[in-house]
Amino acid sequence: MKSKPIKILAIETSCDETAAAVVTKNGGDVNILSNIIASQINIHKKYGGVFPEIASRAHTEKIIPVVERALNVTRYKLRVKTPYNALTYNLLRNIDVIAITIGPGLIGSLLIGVNFAKTLAYAKNLPIIGINHLLGHIYSNWAKKPYPMFPALILIVSGGHTGLYLMKSHNNIQTLGETLDDAAGEAFDKVAKLLGLGYPGGPAIADEVAKVKSYKVKVTSDIKLPRSMLNSGDYNFSFSGLKTAVLYKVKELSRITCNLSRITSAAVAASFQQTVLDILIGKTIQAAYEFKPKSICLCGGVSANKELRQQLKMAVKKLPSKTSYHIPPIELSTDNAAMIGIAASYHLDQVTKWDNIHANANLKL
Ligand code: KG4
Ligand code: ZN
């Protein structure tokens, strides 16, 4: 007999994206029915980073329309006959479980999503599951087949976190190393600010680096930056020294040329990006030699970086043993709720009642 698919409404508000998705799990198959994201980039741009209090207010304004849209898109796809402007409350009829990001993240932002999700669960008497945001990033690699095999080596690179993990099963994730200071994405954001490239820094730096190629000058070898902790013998990372090294380099180059030219600025961006990639890839490959995983998975916002996706792929290909390589679809690299729903679908044994769910800004994996 065929079992009924489990339908999950997932909500994510840990930082500056208000996101909702509907995900189904049918046996071993995961399906994303809707994935809605309201980005706050335009709001935070003028501050050069996320302004926590404003982020919380924006979540409050966006959460109902975003959840309603995620449910409506599903209704439309499934041709259920309810009026398009039906209340979220009625659309919840088809939902079996609510999944909510409970941390880590900005506490004000987390609380909006957590309280909204708890209220829905209470009102509709639905089971709810609290999901770690980082676990969500990991499961962005389970959005499409072939799914990773265990043991899987996971590299998470986001704006708030950078770390290497060995995932032996869905319930066994061992931390190999993490950043001791700044996350890689944070370094991208800070260096972009320093070079006047705008926010968010990751895509801004990647665009600038793409221009270097069109300048047809060989620049990266002239601007040497430290590859911090690459040979530290462990799997920890450090990016704050690199950021300071970029600052000194910019000062030195500005002294020589008075003003940093566009070409020099792009060259610094290129050298910085390559340095970060060398560290991330170097550590991942070192871990691959030690732990011999069957799969290597990249995830987190910085996994949207095309050079990182490509260069890590080449490095994995050169490994002596056959190792599959997984990257999330680009739209699931940065924060979204579909990844939270997918993570929930593999941990349905952890569903609970609304009053057991609490936000934790410093939640560990
Ligand atoms: O995972 P994410 O959306 O949020 C956190 O959980 O932190 O990651 C956001 C980070 C930002 O630092 C952003 O600059 C970076 O991901 N990012 C990128 C790219 N796209 C986003 N970094 C490098 N290259 C990109 N293309
Ligand atoms: Zn994230």
Side-chain angles (χ1 to χ4, degrees):
M1 201 177 76
K2 253 185 143 185
S3 62
K4 188 178 160 276
I6 304 279
K7 199 185 269 186
I8 303 164
L9 167 66
I11 299 172
E12 151 69 47
T13 64
S14 67
C15 190
D16 60 342
E17 325 274 7
T18 317
V22 177
V23 169
T24 58
K25 178 90 179 284
N26 196 356
D29 292 341
V30 176
N31 244 307
I32 301 170
L33 298 188
S34 65
N35 186 33
I36 307 295
I37 304 169
S39 170
Q40 300 176 11
I41 285 178
N42 285 335
I43 302 173
H44 300 292
K45 231 178 197 163
K46 52 180 173 290
Y47 305 104
V50 179
F51 197 122
E53 176 57 25
I54 293 177
S56 314
R57 283 165 194 244
H59 285 308
T60 313
E61 284 168 18
K62 289 279 155 56
I63 193 145
I64 292 177
V66 165
V67 169
E68 223 156 28
R69 185 127 180 248
L71 291 167
N72 266 315
V73 171
T74 313
R75 178 196 60 81
Y76 174 71
K77 279 191 183 157
L78 296 180
R79 295 179 208 286
V80 175
K81 283 183 188 135
T82 47
Y84 183 74
N85 61 357
L87 289 173
T88 303
Y89 195 78
N90 289 331
L91 290 170
L92 277 165
R93 254 197 321 243
N94 301 315
I95 297 296
D96 301 303
V97 178
I98 294 177
I100 176 68
T101 304
I102 51 169
L106 299 169
I107 190 64
S109 292
L110 286 166
L111 280 171
I112 308 298
V114 166
N115 285 324
F116 184 82
K118 284 171 77 165
T119 308
L120 286 185
Y122 169 73
K124 296 298 287 182
N125 201 19
L126 282 171
I128 183 167
I129 174 166
I131 296 292
N132 185 311
H133 180 78
L134 301 176
L135 192 72
H137 275 304
I138 292 175
Y139 278 91
S140 61
N141 276 303
W142 270 260
K144 60 177 195 318
K145 285 182 177 173
Y147 300 142
M149 285 172 294
F150 298 129
L153 179 63
I154 314 277
L155 173 63
I156 305 181
V157 238
S158 74
H161 299 271
T162 298
L164 266 169
Y165 307 86
L166 190 66
M167 189 172 181
K168 293 179 183 161
S169 71
H170 290 292
N171 293 308
N172 184 342
I173 302 175
Q174 181 191 340
T175 302
L176 301 181
E178 292 184 322
T179 182
L180 303 177
D181 39 58
D182 292 354
E186 195 179 346
F188 267 95
D189 294 334
K190 286 176 177 166
V191 167
K193 201 170 179 179
L194 196 79
L195 295 174
L197 296 176
Y199 173 84
I205 291 208
D207 287 351
E208 198 66 8
V209 178
K211 284 184 203 150
V212 170
K213 286 184 184 154
S214 68
Y215 293 153
K216 293 191 173 73
V217 277
K218 197 160 170 41
V219 280
T220 38
S221 53
D222 299 337
I223 300 170
K224 284 233 157 11
L225 294 167
R227 275 142 178 80
S228 323
M229 297 189 65
L230 184 53
N231 299 310
S232 60
D234 58 23
Y235 298 112
N236 290 328
F237 299 87
S238 165
F239 292 103
S240 79
L242 174 58
K243 172 194 68 193
T244 315
V246 173
L247 174 70
Y248 284 125
K249 190 52 91 180
V250 167
K251 279 190 177 160
E252 180 194 321
L253 292 168
S254 308
R255 228 178 291 128
I256 300 167
T257 61
C258 264
N259 226 325
L260 216 56
S261 72
R262 293 231 40 202
I263 294 183
T264 317
S265 167
V268 173
S271 177
F272 163 76
Q273 176 173 286
Q274 194 52 52
T275 303
V276 174
L277 267 48
D278 287 350
I279 297 167
L280 294 172
I281 296 168
K283 291 259 174 182
T284 306
I285 297 303
Q286 283 170 25
Y289 271 95
E290 181 172 347
F291 297 101
K292 300 179 180 52
K294 287 199 177 125
S295 302
I296 292 184
C297 306
L298 173 66
C299 59
V302 183
S303 74
N305 188 286
K306 292 200 178 93
E307 278 294 322
L308 175 57
R309 291 164 90 94
Q310 192 56 27
Q311 290 185 28
L312 183 55
K313 182 180 179 178
M314 299 317 289
V316 173
K317 241 186 196 164
K318 286 185 197 147
L319 284 171
S321 50
K322 200 166 173 281
T323 314
S324 65
Y325 175 60
H326 304 261
I327 45 174
I330 210 110
E331 67 278 9
L332 298 191
S333 281
T334 45
D335 289 351
N336 65 87
M339 66 184 194
I340 303 301
I342 301 171
S345 77
Y346 282 93
H347 296 89
L348 289 170
D349 54 327
Q350 288 169 26
V351 292
T352 184
K353 244 187 87 200
W354 65 274
D355 51 353
N356 291 322
I357 295 290
H358 305 285
N360 178 354
N362 301 312
L363 192 67
K364 295 269 172 265
L365 195 61

